[in-house]
Amino acid sequence: MANKRKRDNAPESEPVGKTEQQSTKKVKAPAPTKAARASSNSSTSATPFKVGNTSPITIQVVAGSYDRVLHGITATVTPTTTTTTTATPSKNNKKKAAAAESKTSYKVSFADTFLFNAHASAIRCLALSPPSAPTPGQKGGQKILLATGATDERINIYNISAHPPSAKAADDQKLLNSITPRPVLENPKNRELGTLLHHSSNITRLVFPNRSKLLSASEDSTCPIPKAQGRPSGDTAALGAVPAGVNDFAVHPSNKIMISVSKGERSMRLWNLETGKKSRVLNFPKDVLMEIGEGKHSTGEARRIVWGEDEFAVTFDRDVLVFGMDCRPRCRVMREDVVGTKMTKVHEIKYVSLGKEEGQEEEKHVLAVATEDGRILFFDTAESELIEPPAPKEEEQQHKTKLFEAKTPNAKLIAQLGGKTAGVSGRIKDFTILPVEDEESGKRSWFVASAGSDGRIRIWRLESGDLRVRKEEEGVKAGRQVGELLGTYETENRITCLGAFVMIPRPEGSVESEYEFDSEESEDEESDDE
């Protein structure tokens, strides 16, 4: 049995919402800058990628699997506009007037960019950094850092190009494509940089708060925090207890505070990234845990955590709790009468920015939840849209034994993507939502890359109005099926994690260099100053 370790003077555990003083004490987090919001990958980036109405979009997808394979795929989405003419009778003229209607359809084509055994055991997580800053006359173009973590205690770092492969590279690989069963489009600028060995157990989470910082978590119960002097490790075990491992952590967009959740603990821990020390320990309320199915005989541990605009969401085995900045539970998400099915396992959550609505200054955000039954559910967590719990039935009120009464409201279900109606029955292990914006009309849409244990990567498209529900609209049903499936790619591997980004078109006049690397010291200094 492992010996109990001596601990520094750590703050005692305190329940969430126990005293009146705590209800007014909010998490002190400075407002994030615009650059910080764009670079934070704890939720979907609020800055959409601007594209033309007819220009093709190339998406780089990276997937890790149980089979140790790291698979890179490019999905090129090509829009096609068709115009149809219909004759409609005119009031003043007996002749029929012709009305032209244009409809845009999307076609996706896949190609392998890299495929190899990256680790000695199953890959658990991966992270993508923001792209490097563009430089005039830069050789090789912009780069993105890729970090992968596995159960072999290693973190591998790769440098991948932010631009699609050049036309010259495509021509050189025509012979290779003629003998392979699937299209191959390798990018010669993708390189492996090295390996980090500072963990002694399975890697559970990786995050790039900005391009020059990488935060990681492991089952050895440490979260190494980069600092000016040294690299201290934050121990997440309770006072006098043996640590069991960190499940997940989330960095605030300001890059100054962090929240972590660990195995076997019914609490979350707040960290100060400027000092590298733990500031508070917040216990989950027992009555709220009972409502979401984490009772006496359950672990009650949180599995995932992600920051929103003025809130953060915590994932449990079969439900999600949303907390306000005062660290009090605001609502739950997966109530059976709202979702329409029995409680199912939750695998991943992310916040999606919908942009500004008419007459509002702040952007609207929704919470996306991936489930075991192959759906991605979108919820509105605003306080004005919450659904109160149903009143107890008369039979329950007359029952002699005092029954448990639910008091936590539920978020409003807006729409769902996938599921059995869309031909998806297996679990969705991970997904990424990429916002794009039309340069002419300014309308925002989203490309969704999802993957599961069945080895299939699916590319979806959401229209600008799919995630908005207006009361004045007729025929709009809450929880309706949305999204268009553009294409499916079979990897033949059991996927565990997924990352994706929209590739930046190569600027005109840029110099292509196959083997030269650009110095990124100036870029790291700029990101540190931010």
Side-chain angles (χ1 to χ4, degrees):
M1 184 179 293
N3 297 327
K4 295 183 178 180
R5 298 172 297 170
K6 295 182 180 180
R7 303 290 309 280
D8 297 334
N9 294 330
E12 296 181 357
S13 299
E14 47 185 287
V16 178
K18 183 177 180 181
T19 62
E20 183 179 355
Q21 181 181 2
Q22 293 177 2
S23 63
T24 59
K25 186 176 181 180
K26 297 185 178 182
V27 177
K28 294 182 179 180
T33 61
K34 185 177 181 180
R37 291 187 185 185
S39 62
S40 175
N41 60 352
S42 60
S43 61
T44 300
S45 174
T47 306
F49 189 88
K50 295 186 180 297
V51 295
N53 190 22
T54 58
S55 1
I57 302 170
T58 303
I59 301 173
Q60 174 70 66
V61 182
V62 183
S65 66
Y66 284 109
D67 309 296
R68 307 172 296 168
V69 174
L70 186 64
H71 199 164
I73 304 159
T74 56
T76 304
V77 181
T78 305
T80 304
T81 303
T82 56
T83 303
T84 57
T85 304
T86 57
T88 57
S90 176
K91 294 182 179 180
N92 300 327
N93 192 355
K94 295 182 179 180
K95 295 182 179 180
K96 294 184 178 180
E101 295 182 358
S102 59
K103 184 179 180 181
T104 304
S105 59
Y106 296 86
K107 182 180 180 182
V108 61
S109 58
F110 298 95
D112 290 337
T113 52
F114 52 85
L115 176 65
F116 62 98
N117 290 337
H119 290 266
S121 56
I123 300 175
R124 294 282 297 273
C125 56
L126 61 84
L128 293 167
S129 75
S132 59
T135 304
Q138 184 180 21
K139 296 182 179 180
Q142 296 173 257
K143 302 291 195 305
I144 286 179
L145 295 177
L146 166 65
T148 61
T151 56
D152 60 359
E153 307 172 5
R154 294 171 176 263
I155 299 175
N156 292 344
I157 309 295
Y158 304 91
N159 203 3
I160 60 179
S161 175
H163 307 289
S166 61
K168 180 181 177 181
D171 294 338
D172 294 342
Q173 298 175 29
K174 285 184 178 180
L175 179 60
L176 179 63
N177 289 327
S178 63
I179 60 175
T180 55
R182 296 186 292 191
V184 177
L185 190 59
E186 294 182 344
N187 197 325
K189 299 172 183 62
N190 298 338
R191 292 287 187 273
E192 181 177 2
L193 299 182
T195 303
L196 302 178
L197 303 172
H198 58 276
H199 281 296
S200 59
S201 188
N202 301 338
I203 312 299
T204 57
R205 197 63 163 179
L206 295 170
V207 170
F208 277 102
N210 51 52
R211 184 171 172 80
S212 62
K213 296 291 188 299
L214 172 63
L215 272 65
S216 61
S218 170
E219 291 185 359
D220 60 6
S221 296
T222 58
C223 291
I225 302 171
K227 194 180 176 184
Q229 297 178 353
R231 301 184 66 181
S233 295
D235 194 349
T236 61
L239 184 62
V242 178
V246 181
N247 282 333
D248 195 13
F249 65 91
V251 180
H252 190 266
S254 64
N255 294 338
K256 293 186 178 180
I257 60 175
M258 180 182 77
I259 297 179
S260 66
V261 291
S262 303
K263 293 183 180 294
E265 293 186 357
R266 296 175 174 240
S267 62
M268 51 186 173
R269 299 172 184 273
L270 184 65
W271 302 84
N272 188 336
L273 295 183
E274 293 183 327
T275 61
K277 295 181 180 180
K278 180 167 53 184
S279 59
R280 295 180 69 187
V281 180
L282 304 171
N283 291 333
F284 300 122
K286 293 183 180 180
D287 56 342
V288 179
L289 290 180
M290 288 288 293
E291 292 186 38
I292 63 175
E294 297 289 341
K296 181 179 179 181
H297 302 289
S298 302
T299 60
E301 67 182 42
R303 310 301 174 93
R304 286 284 182 263
I305 185 168
V306 62
W307 278 101
E309 185 69 16
D310 58 350
E311 62 189 25
F312 60 92
V314 181
T315 300
F316 294 85
D317 188 27
R318 296 180 182 272
D319 211 329
V320 180
L321 283 180
V322 178
F323 292 81
M325 294 304 291
D326 56 357
C327 296
R328 284 180 171 273
R330 178 182 297 177
C331 64
R332 55 181 295 198
V333 168
M334 300 292 291
R335 205 171 71 196
E336 293 183 1
D337 61 323
V338 176
V339 177
T341 58
K342 293 183 179 180
M343 295 183 69
T344 181
K345 191 172 182 179
V346 177
H347 290 284
E348 191 61 66
I349 57 174
K350 284 181 175 64
Y351 277 97
V352 185
S353 174
L354 305 184
K356 296 181 181 180
E357 292 183 342
E358 296 180 1
Q360 294 185 0
E361 297 181 357
E362 297 182 356
E363 291 189 352
K364 179 75 173 178
H365 292 77
V366 297
L367 179 63
V369 181
T371 62
E372 179 79 11
D373 55 6
R375 296 184 297 169
I376 299 178
L377 306 175
F378 298 91
F379 294 89
D380 189 350
T381 59
E383 294 185 5
S384 59
E385 300 293 337
L386 299 183
I387 303 173
E388 294 297 328
K393 300 179 181 179
E394 295 182 1
E395 299 177 357
E396 296 178 354
Q397 292 178 352
Q398 297 175 358
H399 202 278
K400 295 181 180 180
T401 307
K402 186 178 180 181
L403 299 177
F404 179 77
E405 182 180 354
K407 298 181 180 179
T408 306
N410 202 94
K412 181 180 179 180
L413 178 62
I414 301 175
Q416 66 177 11
L417 176 70
K420 292 183 179 180
T421 56
V424 183
S425 58
R427 70 185 69 167
I428 295 181
K429 289 288 290 184
D430 204 353
F431 67 97
T432 301
I433 301 180
L434 305 171
V436 295
E437 187 175 290
D438 194 332
E439 292 180 340
E440 297 180 0
S441 62
K443 288 186 178 181
R444 182 176 297 192
S445 58
W446 298 269
F447 289 101
V448 182
S450 64
S453 300
D454 58 357
R456 294 173 182 170
I457 296 177
R458 296 177 174 87
I459 304 296
W460 311 77
R461 186 179 182 274
L462 293 172
E463 293 286 350
S464 57
D466 287 345
L467 302 183
R468 296 183 186 272
V469 178
R470 296 181 176 87
K471 295 181 181 180
E472 61 270 15
E473 291 181 354
E474 297 181 359
V476 176
K477 181 182 177 182
R480 67 195 188 283
Q481 189 76 24
V482 297
E484 176 189 0
L485 179 61
L486 303 183
T488 304
Y489 187 85
E490 181 68 54
T491 64
E492 300 180 358
N493 294 311
R494 295 174 295 170
I495 298 175
T496 57
C497 52
L498 180 81
F501 63 92
V502 179
M503 304 194 81
I504 305 171
R506 190 175 297 278
E508 297 182 359
S510 61
V511 181
E512 296 184 2
S513 175
E514 183 172 349
Y515 298 105
E516 289 191 45
F517 289 94
D518 300 323
S519 175
E520 299 178 356
E521 295 179 0
S522 59
E523 299 168 8
D524 296 342
E525 292 176 358
E526 292 178 1
S527 57
D528 290 338
D529 295 338
E530 294 176 358

